[in-house]
Amino acid sequence: MAEGIARLVVGANPARTAVRAVVLIGAGVLLVNYGILSVRGSGPSMLPNIQDGQLMIVSRLSFRWRPPRRGELVAVHLDDDRAVLIKRIVAGPRDRLTIARGVVEVNGVALAEPYVIFRSPWQVAEFQLGPAEYFVIGDNRGMPMEMHTMGRVAAERLIGPVIW
């Protein structure tokens, strides 16, 4: 009986099973250390779409193959390289951006933002992003603007999109 259980666990060829296990463990370690990042939401700036304490998975590899997209939730290093925040991209390289009465306008066109539930009358004078800059902001626009961490972000500070 013990022999049957051992064969069930390791298969007919134990050496082959050991190689598969090492490859799977190695791939798992690489994926966890270099491919994905887990981030826990903290604070009210992304409410109601991301709750305080919510766990998210971020792809560290996506932006190697494609550029970030407007409307995408991303993990970003804003000021301190240790702090990772989740924000939404609202404008990309060379875009002109303004916020008038709480409405974000990019290149003179108001963004349709169905994910924004509450709005305060934020005002930001028009400016243009550089060739490798993005503008990120939280979804909870009902908060006072001064309480938000938002702004221009160099492309290299974007870690990747939230995939779950």
Side-chain angles (χ1 to χ4, degrees):
M1 175 133 177
E3 185 177 306
I5 292 174
R7 185 176 175 116
L8 182 66
V9 173
V10 295
N13 187 339
R16 188 178 186 181
T17 301
V19 169
R20 286 180 179 167
V22 168
V23 168
L24 285 173
I25 290 169
V29 167
L30 287 174
L31 180 65
V32 168
N33 288 326
Y34 300 104
I36 62 171
L37 174 69
S38 63
V39 178
R40 189 165 302 278
S42 176
S45 73
M46 290 301 293
L47 288 172
N49 302 310
I50 295 176
Q51 303 300 314
D52 190 25
Q54 181 177 338
L55 183 64
M56 291 156 282
I57 304 297
V58 174
S59 169
R60 291 183 181 189
L61 301 174
S62 292
F63 294 158
R64 293 180 187 263
W65 294 295
R66 66 165 181 84
R69 299 179 189 126
R70 182 179 301 138
E72 196 164 34
L73 287 177
V74 296
V76 59
H77 291 294
L78 282 182
D79 296 325
D80 176 6
D81 278 337
R82 299 192 71 197
V84 174
L85 302 175
I86 301 297
K87 296 293 176 184
R88 190 172 302 273
I89 295 174
V90 294
R94 301 189 196 282
D95 281 343
R96 290 183 342 272
L97 181 126
T98 187
I99 302 176
R101 296 170 311 283
V103 176
V104 176
E105 294 180 10
V106 177
N107 301 322
V109 177
L111 289 185
E113 296 183 292
Y115 42 81
V116 175
I117 307 300
F118 308 108
R119 289 187 196 272
S120 290
W122 295 7
Q123 294 291 122
V124 174
E126 184 176 77
F127 64 92
Q128 185 165 12
L129 293 169
E133 285 185 319
Y134 292 83
F135 192 86
V136 297
I137 191 170
D139 289 351
N140 185 358
R141 313 282 172 75
M143 291 173 51
M145 194 167 93
E146 300 76 31
M147 292 179 64
H148 262 275
T149 303
M150 63 178 183
R152 296 174 185 241
V153 176
E156 64 266 11
R157 289 189 166 275
L158 297 176
I159 299 168
V162 173
I163 56 175
W164 184 66

